Structure formats: structure tokens, C-alpha cells
Amino acid sequence: MKNLTRRSFLQNLGIAAGSATVAATLPSFICNTKMYDGKKLNIALCGLGRYAGYLAEGLQETQFCKLAGIVTGTPSKAVEWKKKYNIPDKNIYNYKNLDEIINNKDIDLVYVVLPNAMHKEFTIRAAKAGKHIIVEKPMAITESDCKEMITACKNAGVQLAVGYRLHYEPYNMEMKRLGQEKVFGQVRLIEASLGYKSGDPSEWRLNKALAGGGPLMNLGVYCVQSNRYVLGEEPISVTAQFGPVTNKKLFAEVEESITWQLVFPGGAVGTSTSTYNCSIDRFFASAENGFFELSPAISYGPFKGRTSNGELNFPVTNQQAVQCDEIAKVILANKQLPEHISGEEGRKDMKILQAIYEAARTGRKISLV
Ligand code: NAD
């Protein structure tokens, strides 16, 4: 089944705009059924690869955002995107002249969708140009890079968000609620894993300098995230093990798979694997009086979930559209972005990812406090 947009989802249900019955049953972040005709957040996508394509389509479904500009190193993409999304020449930049965006009042935010190691440079340049920023996950490739990015945004007086789309996704937010509100009692055990089979040797994700690491950086960050937001706690220690290398050519620079165990102050243990050698996409939490789970849990959905009380049934959303709209609403209202979507959240994850690598490399338990 294809992702439904928020609008088509509501239309499929035969729901008129503003329906109170439905508004009462849907999480608040997917209830904006009234048309908005005020100032929109003008977004420039920076890096026009695969995920930028999803974001561009998502932006067409937003109420509070507009795909107003692009930043690309490939002239043919500039031509293609200009035509497809009706982008004026004055809002088209390349990696060299991006800094000139400082003079462009028609761009409010730069959304960095480049390979991981480029996030820091482009975030800092956009901040110096006075633009708000959304940067894709993982926020950067080291915690110290994250700190530099946070400082640059603070000094420039702009907001920094990380593209954590699941923070606005109903199934995942239900996992967070069930865990944090202890609906089934204290969570004791979490298993959250994400993997797919990688086979393209030219992929930048296999290049350590560009990716910062392998599946842990790319996919494991989601598992760390779900552990943290379901428990509402920060881990105190971690142990980790690299998996076997079954394809030495493909995995010459980054790990093929990695498994780790996070220990949390409330006594919960979170075990996860992120891998490039098989498919897995699941979240499972066992609590004192029951369980809750999702599978698929992290990909673009549609998700499927249940608890020890039965099946879960939430709407399928356009994750990119909802995420951008929710961030836009805060910025347009001149309010501070909540911490769970901020650069600080990305920094916390990066600290844990680095500790996982250290634990796997040394075979030691690494303290996080
Ligand atoms: P991609 O390879 O499809 O696109 C990368 C873009 O960067 C391309 O346009 C490429 O031309 C450009 N680029 C510039 N310099 C490059 C270089 N030196 N090497 C390679 N490409 C270079 O990658 P993607 O899947 O779009 O991922 C981009 C970012 O988005 C990553 O940080 C990734 O983790 C993130 N992402 C997030 C999600 C999500 O669900 N939130 C999903 C996919 C990707």
C-alpha cells in the first residue's frame, strides 16, 4: 500500500474539513484540516538525491511550507527541478554560491539532505547566511561536529532541527506514550532493529569519510532514538559487538552489521542490531504487565502494531509532510523548537553512537554518564 497523504487519508474516510469527531481521535499533529493562507515557511532543499525527492513530494502536501528553492551540484538537476516544482532562477544555488542565499529574503530555511559528513559544513554555512536549518539524520558524524553546528546556529540566531520524521508519526508516538506513561508498567526490555541488504559498491554509505560509519550511523540512529523516547531516559552504559564480515569488498571501510545493548537508569535494557546484510524493521517492548510492538516500525510505512491488548490502528500519514508542517508552525510562530526535534537531540544520539562504536572496538562496557 502506498503512503496516503494527510488530505487523501481524510478524504478516503469521507471526513469533512474540521470534523470534531475525527479531530478527537487523531493525534493533534495530523488534525490541521482547516486551510491556511498566511505566510508560509519557504524551504530550500540542499542536495537533490533520493530522500530530497521524498521531501519535495511531501512538501507539496504541506499547508505551512513551500518548496521555494534548491541547492545542487548537478546543473541538470537544477533544470529538472526548476521545471517540476516551478522554482525561480533566483532561488537556485550550487554548493559554491550557497552563501549568497544570505541576500535572498524569499528563503527562510535550508533543509540539508546531503551525505552525513557534509551536514556540518552546510548547516554552518546556512546558519551564517541567517537561515533556519533542518538537517537530516544522522545529524553529523561526531558529537563534536554536532556541538559546532549547535553553536553556529545559536550565534546566528537561527533554529536547528533534525529530520526525525518519526516524532510526528502516530504509531511511533503511541509507542512513546505507552512507554513513558507506563501503560503496561515499567518497560524491562526493548528490541529495536533496522536493516536492509546493501549491494551497490559505489554507494556513499559504504564510504567511511562520507558516511561516518556503516548501518549504525544510517539505521542504528533510529533504534537509539526509539529506545530513548519510549523510555524517556538517557542510557547509562553500552556494550556492543561487530557482526561478521561476509562481503569483504563491500565492507572494506564500514561495518556490515553491529549489535549493542544499552542499559537505562530505570533498569530497562535495549538490544538492537543495525545491518546492511539482511532486512529487519521492528520495535518490541516488554513491560511488567504486557508488551507493545511495531513491525514495520521505522521505514516509510505503512506501519503495523499491536499491544498485549490487541491491534493498533492509526492513520497512515505522509511523514515528510507532517514533519515539515509541524516544524514550520513553530518557526512561523517565532517560538523555540521543542528539544525532541532539536540539534541537542541529534547531539545526544551521536554521543551514544560513538560510544557504541567504542564498545564494539574495545570489547569493553562504555559508561555514558
Ligand atoms: P543520495 O545518495 O540519494 O543523495 C545524496 C545527494 O548528495 C545527491 O544529490 C548527491 O548528488 C549529493 N552529493 C553531494 N556531494 C556528494 C558526494 N561527495 N558524494 C555523494 N553524494 C553527494 O542520499 P539520500 O538517501 O538522499 O541521503 C541523504 C541524507 O538524507 C543522508 O544524511 C541520509 O541519512 C538522509 N536520509 C534520511 C531519511 C529519512 O527517512 N529521514 C531517508 C533517507 C536518507
Side-chain angles (χ1 to χ4, degrees):
M1 189 168 103
K2 210 172 156 289
N3 247 17
L4 291 177
T5 64
R6 187 172 28 169
R7 202 174 305 145
S8 61
F9 165 74
L10 292 170
Q11 277 163 358
N12 282 0
L13 290 178
I15 292 161
S19 161
T21 330
V22 170
T25 59
L26 296 180
S28 62
F29 48 78
I30 54 169
C31 289
N32 302 311
T33 48
K34 252 191 355 217
M35 284 316 288
Y36 168 79
D37 55 10
K39 149 89 181 136
K40 296 199 177 192
L41 191 74
N42 289 323
I43 295 181
L45 288 174
C46 175
L48 304 182
R50 190 168 158 270
Y51 194 59
Y54 280 94
L55 288 167
E57 289 306 307
L59 285 169
Q60 308 311 307
E61 297 296 328
T62 57
Q63 278 203 66
F64 301 96
C65 307
K66 184 178 170 199
L67 173 53
I70 49 175
V71 186
T72 178
T74 315
S76 60
K77 282 190 197 165
V79 175
E80 193 189 310
W81 280 61
K82 171 189 152 122
K83 197 167 159 218
K84 187 166 181 192
Y85 296 108
N86 200 19
I87 293 170
D89 284 328
K90 70 173 190 59
N91 292 355
I92 300 177
Y93 294 87
N94 57 48
Y95 302 137
K96 286 201 183 95
N97 71 9
L98 167 66
D99 313 279
E100 292 169 17
I101 208 167
I102 192 170
N103 300 315
N104 192 335
K105 297 281 170 283
D106 295 331
I107 303 292
D108 303 308
L109 180 144
V110 174
Y111 196 142
V112 180
V113 208
L114 290 161
N116 309 340
M118 300 171 76
H119 291 181
K120 177 174 107 170
E121 177 193 333
F122 284 80
T123 295
I124 293 175
R125 285 172 67 186
K128 285 186 174 160
K131 306 302 172 189
H132 300 297
I133 294 127
I134 305 177
V135 59
E136 258 314 315
K137 47 57 57 179
M139 180 172 162
I141 57 170
T142 64
E143 189 194 6
S144 74
D145 284 356
C146 296
K147 285 181 181 167
E148 277 186 58
M149 293 155 78
I150 292 167
T151 304
C153 291
K154 207 171 159 192
N155 290 344
V158 299
Q159 301 227 42
L160 172 61
V162 182
Y164 285 141
R165 58 185 163 77
L166 296 177
H167 286 234
Y168 302 104
E169 192 288 313
Y171 281 89
N172 279 272
M173 289 306 96
E174 178 65 356
M175 298 295 105
K176 176 179 174 178
R177 187 188 73 81
L178 293 171
Q180 290 205 14
E181 292 182 10
K182 298 191 180 2
V183 173
F184 294 100
Q186 171 66 45
V187 172
R188 299 286 192 214
L189 181 71
I190 291 179
E191 288 183 5
S193 290
L194 187 60
Y196 63 80
K197 195 148 175 55
S198 182
D200 175 4
S202 68
E203 165 69 62
W204 62 262
R205 286 179 173 83
L206 302 178
N207 174 326
K208 188 158 186 206
L210 282 170
L216 178 64
M217 282 284 175
N218 183 23
L219 311 174
V221 63
Y222 285 110
C223 307
V224 168
Q225 270 276 300
S226 64
N227 275 243
R228 290 180 53 236
Y229 60 63
V230 166
L231 293 167
E233 295 175 5
E234 295 304 322
I236 52 179
S237 67
V238 62
T239 45
Q241 306 79 35
F242 288 119
V245 182
T246 64
N247 187 333
K248 286 198 166 56
K249 261 197 189 147
L250 216 50
F251 300 103
E253 296 192 16
V254 302
E255 78 277 5
E256 183 172 329
S257 63
I258 184 166
T259 299
W260 67 94
Q261 304 78 34
L262 291 171
V263 177
F264 287 85
V269 175
T271 299
S272 296
T273 295
S274 58
T275 177
Y276 280 158
N277 69 23
C278 67
S279 288
I280 184 165
D281 180 358
R282 70 186 296 261
F283 171 88
F284 181 90
S286 184
E288 287 167 306
N289 309 313
F291 71 85
F292 43 104
E293 68 174 339
L294 297 180
S295 185
I298 297 166
S299 54
Y300 304 144
F303 300 126
K304 203 167 156 40
R306 65 182 179 129
T307 74
S308 32
N309 287 345
E311 295 288 313
L312 293 174
N313 198 1
F314 288 100
V316 177
T317 57
N318 182 320
Q319 294 186 47
Q320 291 75 23
V322 180
Q323 174 211 304
C324 290
D325 257 352
E326 290 305 311
I327 290 173
K329 279 197 285 184
V330 177
I331 293 178
L332 289 170
N334 277 324
K335 292 195 178 138
Q336 195 62 37
L337 285 169
E339 180 157 329
H340 70 84
I341 196 78
S342 70
E344 190 52 28
E345 181 79 359
R347 182 199 64 75
K348 286 180 185 168
D349 288 329
M350 193 53 59
K351 177 184 173 183
I352 297 167
L353 296 187
Q354 285 190 282
I356 293 170
Y357 276 136
E358 191 187 344
R361 247 188 339 259
T362 60
R364 286 192 291 114
K365 178 159 100 176
I366 303 299
S367 169
L368 283 157
V369 288

